[in-house]
Amino acid sequence: MCGIAGTWNVDDSYNVLHDVLLALQHRGQQSTGVVINGFKSVKGEGLVHDVLTDSNFVEGKRGIGHVRYSTYGSINEIQPITAYTFKGTFSVAHNGNIIDADERRKYVMENGGIFSTTLDTELFVHYFSLAPYRDPKSSLQWTLSRIPAAYSLVMLHSSFIAAARDRYGIRPLFYGKFGDGYVIASEDSALSSIGCDDIREVEAGTIVFFSDNTPGPEIVTFSQKDSHFCSFEFVYFARPDSNFFGVSVHELRKRLGMKLYQEHKVIGDIVVGVPDSGFSGAMGYSHASGIAMDYGLIRNHYVGRSFIMPKDRQEIVRRKLAPMHSVIQGKEIILIDDSIVRGTTMKVIVDMVREAGAKKVYVGIHSPAVIGPCNYGLDTSRRNELIASENEEEALRELIGADGLFYLSTEGYKQVFEECGVNGICTGCFDLNYPI
Amino acid sequence: MCGIAGTWNVDDSYNVLHDVLLALQHRGQQSTGVVINGFKSVKGEGLVHDVLTDSNFVEGKRGIGHVRYSTYGSINEIQPITAYTFKGTFSVAHNGNIIDADERRKYVMENGGIFSTTLDTELFVHYFSLAPYRDPKSSLQWTLSRIPAAYSLVMLHSSFIAAARDRYGIRPLFYGKFGDGYVIASEDSALSSIGCDDIREVEAGTIVFFSDNTPGPEIVTFSQKDSHFCSFEFVYFARPDSNFFGVSVHELRKRLGMKLYQEHKVIGDIVVGVPDSGFSGAMGYSHASGIAMDYGLIRNHYVGRSFIMPKDRQEIVRRKLAPMHSVIQGKEIILIDDSIVRGTTMKVIVDMVREAGAKKVYVGIHSPAVIGPCNYGLDTSRRNELIASENEEEALRELIGADGLFYLSTEGYKQVFEECGVNGICTGCFDLNYPI
Amino acid sequence: MCGIAGTWNVDDSYNVLHDVLLALQHRGQQSTGVVINGFKSVKGEGLVHDVLTDSNFVEGKRGIGHVRYSTYGSINEIQPITAYTFKGTFSVAHNGNIIDADERRKYVMENGGIFSTTLDTELFVHYFSLAPYRDPKSSLQWTLSRIPAAYSLVMLHSSFIAAARDRYGIRPLFYGKFGDGYVIASEDSALSSIGCDDIREVEAGTIVFFSDNTPGPEIVTFSQKDSHFCSFEFVYFARPDSNFFGVSVHELRKRLGMKLYQEHKVIGDIVVGVPDSGFSGAMGYSHASGIAMDYGLIRNHYVGRSFIMPKDRQEIVRRKLAPMHSVIQGKEIILIDDSIVRGTTMKVIVDMVREAGAKKVYVGIHSPAVIGPCNYGLDTSRRNELIASENEEEALRELIGADGLFYLSTEGYKQVFEECGVNGICTGCFDLNYPI
Amino acid sequence: MCGIAGTWNVDDSYNVLHDVLLALQHRGQQSTGVVINGFKSVKGEGLVHDVLTDSNFVEGKRGIGHVRYSTYGSINEIQPITAYTFKGTFSVAHNGNIIDADERRKYVMENGGIFSTTLDTELFVHYFSLAPYRDPKSSLQWTLSRIPAAYSLVMLHSSFIAAARDRYGIRPLFYGKFGDGYVIASEDSALSSIGCDDIREVEAGTIVFFSDNTPGPEIVTFSQKDSHFCSFEFVYFARPDSNFFGVSVHELRKRLGMKLYQEHKVIGDIVVGVPDSGFSGAMGYSHASGIAMDYGLIRNHYVGRSFIMPKDRQEIVRRKLAPMHSVIQGKEIILIDDSIVRGTTMKVIVDMVREAGAKKVYVGIHSPAVIGPCNYGLDTSRRNELIASENEEEALRELIGADGLFYLSTEGYKQVFEECGVNGICTGCFDLNYPI
């Protein structure tokens, strides 16, 4: 879970990277790093505005940046990473997971390779150096053709910037025109938010080079495209105002909500979205069913900073969400969420809604139950309620104490993507149908 | 615009005040202050979590606190303020505006009174000292009976804590049971959020004392009640999960949106609330009209921290809100907001919606047009589009570039409050009918 | 123990007060405060550069400031304090101790006076307000004539700045020309260090006014002078490059060291000053005796910030001072210090010198033994080895483990001051001869 | 110009490294870094206590650390650096300069080597990996035997800590017993200051290993010793309470001052050391000549933090040093310093002393004039007054405005070291006699 960004021929690239990474903050909150041309880096644990402060400003017209969900305790372990080689100096940052990173790393080390971090990112550096070309661009092509998946990547070389996606296109990547230059980002909404024009997707299996000698972006295909975009980017990971393949995330979530109603036809008095992840799906459910949507739960924005220590996880949820008695009292409530991260959390929510006077509480999830892990960079360990059979679904319903629990079927799920014109998605965690 | 809080017989009162003030942060972001028993104060400019840090912790079981919208540049000017007198030492903080503060201050000074701040709050101190009683409680009663409005107030004396509201009850104040003690706050949602039970309103014209010698709260009436609660607290100032007179803020806003539809019957394809202030009203409009509500504008949460400096105010609004093309494209949009703060802001919003492909843009405001100032502690100078006639309303519609602009009538507005069972509100800024 | 400062008609007074207070930092390290014209205050716990940061900058051409040895836990308790009265608004800061402050405060309170702090400084405010004059300058004169001692004071009024010393002149105060304006400071070295010219002492019993209508300083005598300057300012409190009555502090300490030799004629191989307070006196002892001075103890500047927690006070001293074996080895050492703050500290020093190979260790103190408290603003509680007889002196020698311990006699001490032309000093803590 | 440190089997190594690096702060103020076992690093620009804060604490019983005079703008460029290789993971930090680093680096890169920094330190990593041994200890020996000079080095490997000095022993390194473990530091005073026992020098051409399997330190010779210790470490770089070859730095400086008198016999009324670097030499000059030493210049400790911006370099010096009129007035002054860093600085000092009333001002330097650069890690670019002939010495005397300027001869300089028993020093910058 990461966000990446880049700039080419953009004044005060540091500031622009700051703003783009800020707009990608939901993709990673633990560490932040940028490298500006001349290979000056600014890195640190923490949020974008904690690390990329005014006083750390570095002058430069090109650069790359990264935000990350987790850090391994050391400042050296923060991307981008920089390497000095006989093919030039360069920095690289990526979003994703190199699948067989451990074996590849061991192999390189046994051949005398020296790593300066424990990040799988550093494999790109070694492959780049090992590539049987003098030319850095060819070396990068060779590198990416040798490492199949799963990454989106930005690279700052002394003579160019590159944005690339693996052949399966698992993680997203976009670029857009910004003044006389270009800006790269994991999501298009980050580009829109700073005023970019002509925003395009980096195609799976291609590198987009921005070079000194070439007027515009130069697109190079290093592998045949075999599209398997992570559908969870749509379901819960991306911002609602982002688009993939020209399809609005909010719109697709709404469609999932509609399909959920069509499959289950669960009826009640009020549809309530679990804040904020369930709002779009709840709206879809409401539109499809004609049942009014209302704010039955209000998020308390500051709870993460409270001083009174809640005794347990349940207590945290209770302080994070306020039930609206006037909305819930005496009603049959259909709670909609994108997925169930923890059954214990959903149990507290159901309890709260019941205590606020709900007659019935039904829980609808607008994606299928997760039954397998993700090897492509998503932390599914948080999705710890893996469900493999209907028995287990019933057990979960009992655990959370709902009057009903219903998921979208994998077929229905896939259908919505197809209807929206999104083909070639990865649904491995739902149906164990892993593309690689 | 302020929030106030207090604690009585509560362990680590500093931490509890932190959490309550955090929940009241929307009432004031410029300065924060607390005084804990023993009259140790922690104050500073900035947000609650910037000032009430872990390292500033002060031990104590009772205290009062304050957040404020504006500061006058000096740390001395931050409430609560403390005074040492022959009637004992005490600290005081209030929310509101003493109406004729300048004259009263001048009078006290001419009689030899020394002020240590420029805050009107300090008048309470002088009246308390001047009161013809030795007893501090009687002195406070006398003080409040001499200063008619408009304030809610908390006081920490060496022998008690007091929570009081002026006779008109213009600003809100609540208290609730917390363990073996009590917590006081401007809004009940702040008390719920930390887990208080048995939450009650401080009645207009009364003081609630929490004292060493008395088992529970002792309620003293210092003046006959003449209720004129600020209706703008309901409309836009309070949190949606707060309640006044037992009526939910969110629910009342929804009712205002419903009434707005009933008065104007403006029809379109989609109802869009302006984030976040317009959501409740938009939901009401949607429910009443049967027109679907959708998220046509998404708020960009981080924009306040961006580095690329927008050229002008318009640009700021554009970066703050993202229009959802998939929602808006080809539709007739009914935009709903609680009020118009600046016509220039609304103009940018209308422009954005139009650029995203709206066929028509109608703007509905679920409160009447503001035509007069507020003297009771609300900064209406921000509401700078005072409208006194229909001509001016048409001029404003042209300014914002909407296809239609419609307000709730003052009669409709009052009716909604009545229907909800809220009697005795102040509507001075809408109809110049000032209670005092 | 405090330092005070002021500026009149000085650009960026905030910056100049910062520099002057920095040069007075040795007089107080716990809290810092300034008030700039318009009565904007910046205050905080901590060192000058922690509180008076760039980002707190306040524009203005006049102001006053204060550094203090101790704070009573609350930001309100930091000087200068500001008052709004019918005689105008003003701020005041002082160095010293109002002798009967408690009684005076009680009296004022019983007459209805309200205090906003627990500082004795606030008495000046009340006397000023009570003074039977409309005119603020006359009111200040009246105030100071009613409060006999012991203070040096700066006051910022909307129409003037005042610098004043009590009739006994117990604490120092200076002013000097700075560009077209004036700067005030507790020590002249602070004024020299920023480049002031024409530096003069504020005379005991006078106020120096800097006013809008008067070209230069206007000197007003409010009481007959009865000089009793605190001789400890010379001995250990002031910077060595300061001067009082035109006499160099370093020079006078050297003379005390010389007199110490003349009185005791203790002979050894090397004279060693205890860093840094004993250096000047040791140099005098060396000059008078012809015994070479050397650096037998080196101060470790960073020890205050070390992380390895010393087990006890002794350990702290051991880490703070490094004994120079090459200097001490096999020698008879004469250790010179200005005074003995704690016998336990001196014991560790003697031990260290002995462990480093000294044959003999004699301890010479170039001031008399302290036998009484100070009521004029000096924290003699730290000088906790009060000695009242020769028996006790011998006991102390044994405690510290020295081969000899010798003090300067009170007569010798006074003589040195006289020889240097300094008349009218306070020696109350040595001979119980208190001036007031 | 750097300081290095290490710990072996020491509880809370982070804290101990903090304290040792603090005591070595004079060797580098720009950046600070430590690596604790498990290879967790804490690094940052700035002073030790800014970087190694309490909140950055890392648990561990062994580690290495580094302070550096300059940083190249990037957090990656801060030592120690860490490498992951098939010979294990390790971190390394060094003090010094690898003489032909650029060529060696180019060579390694051309053979496919990847560098992650621009530091010459990283060469140790590559040689270590290239070494024809599987065993890490043998690899380190091979590395150091291939890189002749000039470095002192600490290395943290998963199975040992190593402390090593190049064959010429140009930069210092010590280790001492600390509880059940060992601490390593560039200067012995840093070890004494935390209470180490049994402090020893790491011999030139040796590695001292501290390993899991060996009870005490294991000393391995990797090259024949050819001692050329940097004599400037004695003259101005090290702390006065440090010792090299058992000789006190302060004592040797005193001897240089004595020799300076013996060579020149310049007579005056008072010997004044330039604070603080000239104090020891001045004391020697005073002892040898019988002319009294006095504090004619007092250092203003806080000037680096002042806000009033001095117009130029001269002004900075003037604010940094206060001339003592009482000491200087009417006297012939012999100013003693260790070296002349900038003629312009010395000119201001001479001016100040003259303005304070000196009759004559003679400047004595207790080392020879610097006539050549240093290639072994000392920043002699700051010593920018290279003098190659007596004509140029006279020109410099005129520039600084002194009545006389006299240096110690190279012969006299060498003689002092010999007399003190220090053989095998480098004097390249004085006589172009470079050892390597």
Side-chain angles (χ1 to χ4, degrees), chain B residues 273-286:
Chain B
V274 175
D276 291 348
S277 52
F279 282 163
S280 298
M283 189 160 275
Y285 200 94
S286 167

Side-chain angles (χ1 to χ4, degrees), chain C residues 19 250-251 254 294 307 326, chain D residues 19 251 254 294 307 326:
Chain C
D19 283 12
H250 166 62
E251 210 62 43
K254 247 167 59 188
D294 204 341
F307 272 12
S326 64
Chain D
D19 283 11
E251 209 62 45
K254 246 166 59 186
D294 204 340
F307 272 10
S326 65

Side-chain angles (χ1 to χ4, degrees), chain A residues 104-117:
Chain A
R104 289 173 186 269
R105 184 179 171 97
K106 205 176 148 220
Y107 176 81
V108 172
M109 272 169 110
E110 278 168 0
N111 285 280
I114 301 167
F115 287 79
S116 64
T117 72

